[in-house]
Amino acid sequence: MKSFFLLLNVISFCFCISFEIQNNSATININDEILENPFSGGINYARIAWYDWDQDNDVDLFVLDEDLHFKYFENIGNQETYSFILEEHPINNLSGMSWFHLDDLNGDGVIDLATQSTLDPSHVMFFEFNGEEFEYTSLLYQDTGQYLISASVMTPTFADIDNDGDFDFFTGNINGTVNYYNNIGVADGLPVFEFISSFWQNILIVGPSQSRHGASAIRFIDLDGDDDLDLAWGDYFQRSLYIIWNIGNVESPMMDPENFTYQYPQNDPIYTSGQNMPSFSDLDGDGDMDLFITVLGGDGPIQLNNNFLMYQNTGSSTSPVYELSTENFLGSLDLFSDVVPAFVDIDNDGALDFFVGQDYTTETIPTQGRIFYFNNENLNQLTYTLEESEFLGSEVGLSLSPEFIDIDSDGDYDLFIGEYNGKINIYRNDGNSSNPIYSSIGYLNDIDLGFFSIPEFCDIDNDSDYDLFIGNYNGEIYFYENIGDSQSYNFIESTLDIDVDIDLSRSAPRLIDLDYDNDFDLIVGTATSGVVVYWNIGDQEQNHFVRDECLEIPYFGNNIKPSIIDIDEDGILDIIVGLSTGGFLHYQMTPFSDVNYDYSVDISDVILIINDILDQSGTQLNCLADTNHDGNLDILDILLIVGNIINN
């Protein structure tokens, strides 16, 4: 039996784990406003599209934000009552674009995706859904053989302007005009376009001074119920919407550039930072189109929250009356940009409270970061209430990464804050475990890592004091051994034994025993590579980290800062990640060796591996079943899980 467990220790260095998205897992109260889906990610400069993906007669939502990655929100409500949750989707695998359009663009009955080329932003790529994923087909062309062109700063659109049953292409120009490409048919499965005009319908949009124009976002919609398409235009220098009315007919459009509406909706004009992207959808199923605005950012003040607006149509399809319903349509927690979560029972009531370090806010001049404090009074319900939006005050630096730890073993939590300047600011707790009182005692030693220091503490060498790990902008992870003791710390820079170079950026390290082998594994949030896991295949005295190449986690954003903790105390680890967009996502991790993802480790996992072993001929190895990652499905995988069942 002893040799059996020794074997398990040898092969327990690499396990596939996965993360399941948790929706509506918590509520957050901010000034008596309830956010019922706070961990659905924030919104900065999003392009959106509506499409009934699951064909349940309600529209689902697709979002492409500033991080150039897609998110898919399934509408789990109905035609009258909508409710959106974040789900995995084939579109999530695409990235690098700044605009997109979903429709059956070639008329074959299959959904297509047109988007910005990742090689040349002025070109347009065409993807077709093959039943499993969006498959790149080709760039789109004109009948002359030239590329279809759209300036990279524009958000173009497709619309059947002449009512001939196909989608024509429109894009703005930097001089305030519109390019019009007529769809003349399909060749080799691709729509083909004829260039008509760079000054379509004599439309000329200029800024408030009548001399300026910037980037634009355009959409066509019948706003007056006369069956022809009007043009909604969001401009860089316009904090509302322009509407250019179509006074022609459904086959022969005639836009009226002399008498267009400068501020729309007329009864309740939008007023944002500028370049408002309009979209329309009958979300409440009442037969008229509601208006949605995402703020792409113009010449006004930076607007990094309250930038997904819904204007409900309280009128009709022929006489719309738009009234502001919400500035946070998805009901997500959105704290500007680059947020860092931290969970700690700061008031000693048995429930983990929620702290957020923030990059900066535009509400202060000069800009400063802030730390938000959300109190949790009910662990089982995960209900957080905003207590302070300037915890420690307003002048605490930029890009704040809070880490709570009882560094001096006096029974209360002290606070270490990583900052933009690459240093670690120390706040000693002079209060107690129930009523903290923090006093700044300066920066930690002479540590200066350049930019974006993100600290993490753990007793990596099992000597009863906390050691320090710090990630920085360049993706490096620095290790500082504590050669003091539990009451008096003394950090010296040391080395970290990692097999694979961490060629990442903006590394955010977290250490936790993921595989329950009594040593700390390393989890790293990154700028563009999602979450990276390094298994510790050493022991408490000699740590050695090996990268997991089989990690299954959806990728939903940039500048990921993870917090790993069992926030609801259900025995299953949770990971809350902060994103560049100012919001958070919540995943639940599969238990150790849970091969079939039923959130238990039992005989069913063993049976699954045995079946995979018996069915290896001509099949690809199951990454999950190969629990020791040796490239084989064999008895060692079975022994590993059996040992874990016994240990549990």
Side-chain angles (χ1 to χ4, degrees):
M1 182 61 73
K2 183 178 179 180
S3 61
F4 171 77
F5 286 107
L6 287 175
L7 175 64
L8 292 180
N9 286 330
V10 171
I11 65 176
S12 66
F13 65 89
C14 198
F15 305 98
C16 271
I17 57 175
S18 69
F19 303 86
E20 180 178 330
I21 299 171
Q22 300 296 295
N23 288 291
N24 304 315
S25 57
T27 59
I28 287 183
N29 185 331
I30 300 180
N31 300 324
D32 295 327
E33 178 185 358
I34 303 298
L35 304 179
E36 296 183 349
N37 196 19
F39 297 146
S40 57
I43 295 290
N44 277 0
Y45 308 116
R47 279 79 170 176
I48 67 172
W50 305 94
Y51 187 80
D52 184 7
W53 181 264
D54 50 10
Q55 299 183 8
D56 61 352
N57 297 317
D58 55 40
V59 290
D60 307 299
L61 173 64
F62 296 81
V63 177
L64 174 65
D65 211 335
E66 64 154 352
D67 58 10
L68 307 184
H69 282 78
F70 289 95
K71 297 190 194 87
Y72 165 68
F73 293 87
E74 180 185 357
N75 188 348
I76 60 173
N78 51 49
Q79 289 181 305
E80 291 77 30
T81 305
Y82 52 86
S83 177
F84 291 90
I85 61 171
L86 183 66
E87 294 283 9
E88 295 185 51
H89 190 274
I91 203 170
N92 299 139
N93 296 323
L94 303 178
S95 64
M97 303 88 172
S98 64
W99 65 267
F100 72 110
H101 189 96
L102 282 171
D103 239 316
D104 179 12
L105 296 175
N106 59 2
D108 63 353
V110 178
I111 187 68
D112 307 307
L113 170 72
T115 186
Q116 173 194 40
S117 171
T118 55
L119 297 177
D120 187 330
S122 67
H123 297 162
V124 181
M125 292 191 298
F126 181 85
F127 292 77
E128 191 165 46
F129 188 68
N130 61 16
E132 295 182 358
E133 61 181 358
F134 282 97
E135 183 178 9
Y136 172 67
T137 302
S138 171
L139 296 174
L140 292 181
Y141 288 86
Q142 304 176 46
D143 58 337
T144 60
Q146 297 176 300
Y147 295 115
L148 192 67
I149 298 294
S150 176
S152 59
V153 296
M154 306 298 169
T155 303
T157 192
F158 291 82
D160 186 8
I161 195 67
D162 49 9
N163 199 36
D164 63 352
D166 54 36
F167 290 96
D168 310 300
F169 183 63
F170 298 84
T171 181
N173 290 311
I174 200 66
N175 62 356
T177 64
V178 177
N179 285 356
Y180 168 42
Y181 297 83
N182 182 39
N183 188 333
I184 60 174
V186 176
D188 298 325
L190 298 172
V192 180
F193 298 88
E194 178 187 12
F195 176 71
I196 302 299
S197 175
S198 61
F199 194 16
W200 182 65
Q201 295 284 322
N202 296 320
I203 295 171
L204 178 61
I205 298 294
V206 294
S209 68
Q210 301 299 305
S211 62
R212 301 181 298 171
H213 168 74
S216 62
I218 57 178
R219 289 289 185 271
F220 285 93
I221 186 72
D222 180 13
L223 285 172
D224 50 10
D226 62 353
D227 296 327
D228 55 37
L229 297 177
D230 309 297
L231 177 60
W233 180 302
D235 188 81
Y236 184 87
F237 290 105
Q238 172 61 288
R239 301 190 185 185
S240 186
L241 283 179
Y242 296 118
I243 303 295
I244 299 111
W245 302 97
N246 189 347
I247 58 176
N249 56 54
V250 66
E251 284 85 18
S252 300
M254 182 181 298
M255 314 306 288
D256 188 2
E258 301 296 328
N259 298 296
F260 62 89
T261 300
Y262 283 85
Q263 289 188 316
Y264 194 83
Q266 292 159 297
N267 62 299
D268 190 10
I270 298 163
Y271 191 78
T272 71
S273 61
Q275 198 182 353
N276 299 300
M277 179 186 150
S279 66
F280 299 86
S281 178
D282 183 13
L283 197 58
D284 50 11
D286 62 354
D288 54 44
M289 292 292 184
D290 305 300
L291 169 63
F292 299 85
I293 297 292
T294 52
V295 184
L296 305 185
D299 74 334
I302 297 175
Q303 189 167 337
L304 296 179
N305 66 349
N306 297 325
N307 51 12
F308 191 173
L309 296 79
M310 175 183 179
Y311 281 76
Q312 190 171 14
N313 187 352
T314 60
S316 65
S317 59
T318 57
S319 299
V321 178
Y322 289 110
E323 296 181 357
L324 180 63
S325 174
T326 179
E327 296 178 332
N328 183 5
F329 174 72
L330 290 173
S332 62
L333 181 61
D334 192 342
L335 300 176
F336 297 89
S337 68
D338 284 325
V339 290
V340 182
F343 291 87
V344 62
D345 184 8
I346 199 66
D347 50 8
N348 199 29
D349 64 352
L352 291 172
D353 306 298
F354 181 31
F355 288 82
V356 179
Q358 177 199 62
D359 186 11
Y360 68 93
T361 174
T362 58
E363 297 176 356
T364 61
I365 300 176
T367 58
Q368 292 286 336
R370 291 188 294 187
I371 294 179
F372 295 80
Y373 164 37
F374 297 88
N375 183 39
N376 181 13
E377 296 181 351
N378 191 330
L379 177 62
N380 296 326
Q381 295 183 1
L382 296 182
T383 301
Y384 303 97
T385 300
L386 178 64
E387 294 290 340
E388 297 182 43
S389 59
E390 294 183 349
F391 190 74
L392 303 180
S394 60
E395 298 182 2
V396 289
L398 294 170
S399 301
L400 306 179
S401 299
E403 178 76 359
F404 292 87
I405 199 78
D406 185 7
I407 196 67
D408 50 12
S409 300
D410 63 351
D412 54 40
Y413 289 103
D414 307 293
L415 175 57
F416 292 74
I417 302 176
E419 297 185 8
Y420 173 82
N421 60 14
K423 301 179 180 181
I424 307 293
N425 208 340
I426 309 173
Y427 287 81
R428 185 183 61 226
N429 189 349
D430 294 326
N432 54 50
S433 60
S434 301
N435 295 290
I437 301 173
Y438 287 102
S439 303
S440 176
I441 59 174
Y443 289 115
L444 177 61
N445 298 354
D446 57 352
I447 294 175
D448 186 348
L449 303 185
F451 299 101
F452 298 100
S453 61
I454 301 179
E456 168 77 342
F457 290 87
C458 78
D459 184 10
I460 193 69
D461 50 10
N462 197 33
D463 62 353
S464 300
D465 56 35
Y466 289 107
D467 306 296
L468 173 61
F469 294 76
I470 309 176
N472 75 343
Y473 179 81
N474 294 327
E476 299 146 327
I477 295 179
Y478 293 83
F479 171 52
Y480 294 84
E481 183 183 359
N482 188 351
I483 61 173
D485 53 42
S486 59
Q487 286 81 38
S488 179
Y489 56 84
N490 183 14
F491 295 103
I492 61 169
E493 188 172 358
S494 186
T495 58
L496 190 64
D497 189 3
I498 300 180
D499 262 2
V500 182
D501 292 336
I502 303 182
D503 53 346
L504 311 171
S505 60
R506 298 187 69 160
S507 53
R510 297 292 181 258
L511 288 112
I512 191 169
D513 184 8
L514 282 179
D515 51 9
Y516 309 112
D517 62 351
N518 297 316
D519 56 34
F520 288 97
D521 306 296
L522 174 64
I523 298 91
V524 186
T526 71
T528 59
S529 300
V531 173
V532 181
V533 171
Y534 290 84
W535 298 104
N536 189 348
I537 63 172
D539 52 39
Q540 293 176 333
E541 282 72 38
Q542 292 184 327
N543 299 276
H544 179 61
F545 296 93
V546 177
R547 184 166 179 168
D548 187 334
E549 303 293 347
C550 176
L551 181 66
E552 298 184 6
I553 181 171
Y555 183 84
F556 283 126
N558 289 349
N559 299 347
I560 291 179
K561 281 78 64 176
S563 177
I564 303 171
I565 195 166
D566 183 7
I567 61 173
D568 51 7
E569 294 191 350
D570 63 353
I572 302 173
L573 286 175
D574 304 275
I575 176 169
I576 309 294
V577 296
L579 306 174
S580 64
T581 53
F584 305 85
L585 300 175
H586 179 194
Y587 304 90
Q588 194 170 70
M589 302 173 69
T590 56
F592 172 65
S593 300
D594 179 20
V595 177
N596 62 355
Y597 293 160
D598 64 354
Y599 289 95
S600 65
V601 181
D602 51 31
I603 192 63
S604 62
D605 299 296
V606 179
I607 293 173
L608 180 61
I609 292 181
I610 293 174
N611 288 335
D612 283 352
I613 292 174
L614 297 174
D615 191 34
Q616 286 191 54
S617 58
T619 64
Q620 188 176 3
L621 287 176
N622 187 321
C623 181
L624 296 176
D626 182 18
T627 53
N628 64 347
H629 294 188
D630 64 355
N632 299 298
L633 297 180
D634 51 33
I635 190 64
L636 294 181
D637 301 300
I638 299 174
L639 291 176
L640 185 62
I641 292 187
V642 170
N644 191 47
I645 294 173
I646 295 172
N647 286 332
N648 287 340

